[in-house]
Amino acid sequence: MGNLKKFYINGDWVTPNSKTEFPVSNPANNSQVGTIILGNKADVDNAVAAAKEAFKTYAKTTKEDRLKLLSNLLKITKERFEELAQAITTEMGAPITMSREAQADAGIGHLEGFIDALKNSKDREVLSSGDTILREPIGVCGLITPWNWPINQIALKVIPALAAGSTCVLKPSEYTPLSATLYAEMLHDAGFPKGAFNLLHGDGPTVGSAMSRHPDIQMMSFTGSTRAGTSVTKDSADTVKRVTLELGGKSPNLIFADCDLEERVSGSVLECFYNSGQSCDAPTRLLVERSCYEEVLKIAKRTAENQAVDEPTKEGEHLGPLFDKIQFDRVQNMIKVGLDEADLLVGGLGKPEGFEDGWYVKPTIFKDVSNDMRIAQEEIFGPVLVIIPFMNEKEAIEIANDTPYGLAAYLQTGDSEKAERVASQLRAGAVHINGGGFNYGSPFGGYKQSGNGREGGTLGLEDFQEIKTLHF
């Protein structure tokens, strides 16, 4: 990939000011697949200057102008879809079937959702008071995205910024630059004016902090850990810029005895393990009604034992490796904590047999967990599930909400009235009922320490807009 060691600034692939190299590895076998340059403050200044200059004219484009550009991008994304899927599989280990069906597909699905949102948006609206409000682009946006869903998060930030008429500087995770570089090439080919979109690589303490502190950036949109999100917020405070955050989670999944246990428990376990557990909204706490607890343990154990682990280049529903040694070590450490705190149902320490080269882990479940244990309170970010019993509906809700996070919650019951009643009391940004999945164009985001703001569709577009009131 010829542009990997360059930054995309002001419509061109340029040589970075920094000379600091960073190796890009394939987590399935530890082979090096490329090298990027980690930027510095001067690189950030160059990218922001380009975005600031471009905003003067790009902010004046019409909705029709921007819809045409987005339609161009949609066509190009479909044409380069397989390249995108292969890049994600190579850089972060997502199995190729999942890369096609979910990871790369997000680049199309979210784009279509934002196109619909932009078509239906109102730039001008008269209030009942007689005043008029205008929705205008916020300005230069700093965008920081993670490695676990690389294109999903890039699409959720870059597309609404550009759709709103704002300009942006993207810092993707330094661990997943292949897909980000491809995306920059696609944006260029779609015809977005120079400076509207800019890409540079770098780490959080250097490039991320320089972006957050930059006086010419009006908004920071960050996805990642709660710890890093706190740093972005603090760095942004002196310039009083808007900050939207999509952070961690420890999502509860309530299993009531009146649901289809075989279907809903097995589905819940697989949902936790999906993407090798590397999803912020994964249902990692399985709260189980005591009357069906033993049956649930049997189903969960059988499902985990049947969960295959294999090479990400192979097609199928298996799990791939974790993205890096850093995450592997973190997950192994938390499994050790779990062995001291609770009873192991399946899995445990070490790598699955035959997968010693990459960062593979055993799908793991702990039973008889109490919600005050570390494995029930801390985000593990691997295929590790904890099972917690509850006696009644009231206790289930209390346990579910007893977390600093509030990104998602899951609920399995055969009683529709109970589903509505319980869902209304769960402090989370989304509640998935009986396997209900996320749909493109719907808002995504959380309560409490899971962040603020919403991504996707109309609400995600509005985060990148300012409101001006006209008083006649």
Side-chain angles (χ1 to χ4, degrees):
M1 190 175 291
N3 292 323
L4 203 55
K5 295 180 76 170
K6 295 182 178 181
F7 296 163
Y8 183 74
I9 296 177
N10 204 32
D12 289 313
W13 290 97
V14 302
T15 300
N17 178 277
S18 171
K19 305 302 179 188
T20 304
E21 295 190 345
F22 184 85
V24 183
S25 299
N26 182 329
N29 53 29
N30 284 327
S31 64
Q32 185 172 335
V33 295
T35 303
I36 61 170
I37 302 297
L38 298 180
N40 57 24
K41 184 178 181 299
D43 291 311
V44 173
D45 288 341
N46 290 338
V48 174
K52 181 181 179 182
E53 182 63 26
F55 182 72
K56 295 176 182 178
T57 52
Y58 188 67
K60 298 176 182 177
T61 57
T62 66
K63 181 193 297 188
E64 289 69 29
D65 293 333
R66 299 193 296 276
L67 283 170
K68 183 177 180 181
L69 290 169
L70 295 175
S71 295
N72 293 345
L73 179 60
L74 180 60
K75 178 176 180 291
I76 293 167
T77 304
K78 290 178 178 179
E79 290 171 351
R80 302 192 70 177
F81 179 84
E82 184 63 19
E83 288 180 77
L84 211 51
Q86 293 290 344
I88 295 169
T89 291
T90 298
E91 67 190 358
M92 59 83 59
I96 188 60
T97 299
M98 186 219 174
S99 280
R100 293 183 183 124
E101 294 179 353
Q103 292 274 9
D105 186 69
I108 294 174
H110 288 309
L111 177 50
E112 291 176 333
F114 282 120
I115 287 173
D116 288 342
L118 183 58
K119 285 179 179 177
N120 295 322
S121 68
K122 294 181 180 179
D123 295 336
R124 186 183 185 97
E125 186 176 354
V126 179
L127 303 177
S128 59
S129 65
D131 289 338
T132 297
I133 60 170
L134 306 180
R135 292 180 175 86
E136 299 180 342
I138 192 169
V140 178
C141 302
L143 315 175
I144 301 178
T145 57
W147 49 263
N148 61 320
W149 284 88
I151 288 301
N152 183 78
Q153 292 309 127
I154 288 174
L156 281 170
K157 298 183 191 301
V158 171
I159 296 170
L162 295 174
S166 292
T167 59
C168 58
V169 177
L170 169 68
K171 189 204 87 65
S173 169
E174 60 269 35
Y175 295 96
T176 52
L178 305 182
S179 57
T181 300
L182 275 174
Y183 205 75
E185 293 174 359
M186 292 190 293
L187 285 162
H188 177 86
D189 292 344
F192 284 90
K194 65 179 186 177
F197 167 82
N198 305 273
L199 164 75
L200 73 166
H201 300 295
D203 60 23
T206 305
V207 171
S209 182
M211 290 169 62
S212 301
R213 294 176 181 272
H214 206 291
D216 291 330
I217 288 182
Q218 282 72 53
M219 173 184 177
M220 288 298 299
S221 178
F222 172 85
T223 297
S225 69
T226 298
R227 174 193 55 77
T230 300
S231 297
V232 169
T233 304
K234 290 179 179 178
D235 284 340
S236 300
D238 287 342
T239 50
V240 199
K241 55 173 57 73
R242 182 180 299 174
V243 178
T244 60
L245 305 169
E246 196 270 280
L247 307 176
K250 193 70 179 179
S251 300
N253 187 355
L254 284 63
I255 302 285
F256 288 95
D258 59 6
C259 74
D260 183 331
L261 289 178
E262 186 66 42
E263 177 185 342
R264 298 311 329 136
V265 173
S266 60
S268 295
V269 172
L270 295 177
E271 182 79 16
C272 172
F273 291 164
Y274 193 62
N275 203 31
S276 295
Q278 300 171 125
S279 297
C280 48
D281 62 342
T284 52
R285 289 187 296 149
L286 196 69
L287 281 51
V288 180
E289 193 166 8
R290 177 63 77 176
S291 62
C292 63
Y293 187 72
E294 294 303 323
E295 180 64 21
V296 167
L297 291 182
K298 293 177 184 177
I299 298 170
K301 184 173 188 290
R302 183 172 67 248
T303 303
E305 289 173 338
N306 290 331
Q307 173 62 75
V309 175
D310 211 330
E311 295 283 344
T313 54
K314 294 182 180 179
E315 307 220 9
E317 303 301 318
H318 53 276
L319 303 184
L322 299 182
F323 92 101
D324 188 77
K325 183 180 187 298
I326 297 170
Q327 192 61 23
F328 177 84
D329 289 343
R330 287 173 181 159
V331 172
Q332 293 298 300
N333 179 65
M334 288 306 296
I335 292 175
K336 289 180 184 177
V337 170
L339 292 172
D340 292 335
E341 288 185 321
D343 295 330
L344 182 68
L345 182 66
V346 64
L349 290 170
K351 299 178 180 180
E353 186 177 351
F355 294 94
E356 288 76 18
D357 290 338
W359 303 116
Y360 297 88
V361 297
K362 299 174 183 176
T364 297
I365 300 178
F366 290 98
K367 65 175 183 175
D368 301 335
V369 174
S370 63
N371 204 53
D372 58 352
M373 294 177 180
R374 284 185 62 191
I375 55 172
Q377 287 292 314
E378 298 180 23
E379 189 174 36
I380 298 174
F381 231 57
V384 180
L385 176 67
V386 301
I387 301 183
I388 305 170
F390 67 83
M391 290 302 298
N392 53 45
E393 186 178 310
K394 180 175 181 293
E395 185 184 20
I397 295 167
E398 289 175 351
I399 295 172
N401 289 334
D402 182 19
T403 171
Y405 300 110
L407 187 55
Y410 298 73
L411 171 60
Q412 323 299 331
T413 176
D415 184 337
S416 59
E417 291 185 2
K418 180 191 290 183
E420 291 275 358
R421 182 173 66 244
V422 173
S424 69
Q425 299 176 73
L426 296 175
R427 300 288 294 168
V431 181
H432 301 265
I433 300 171
N434 293 328
F438 175 82
N439 294 304
Y440 296 125
S442 295
F444 183 84
Y447 289 18
K448 300 189 282 186
Q449 291 185 31
S450 287
N452 55 63
R454 290 296 181 268
E455 295 188 315
T458 300
L459 292 176
L461 181 64
E462 290 177 353
D463 270 353
F464 292 85
Q465 296 174 321
E466 285 282 21
I467 300 296
K468 178 183 289 180
T469 306
L470 302 182
H471 303 280
F472 292 98

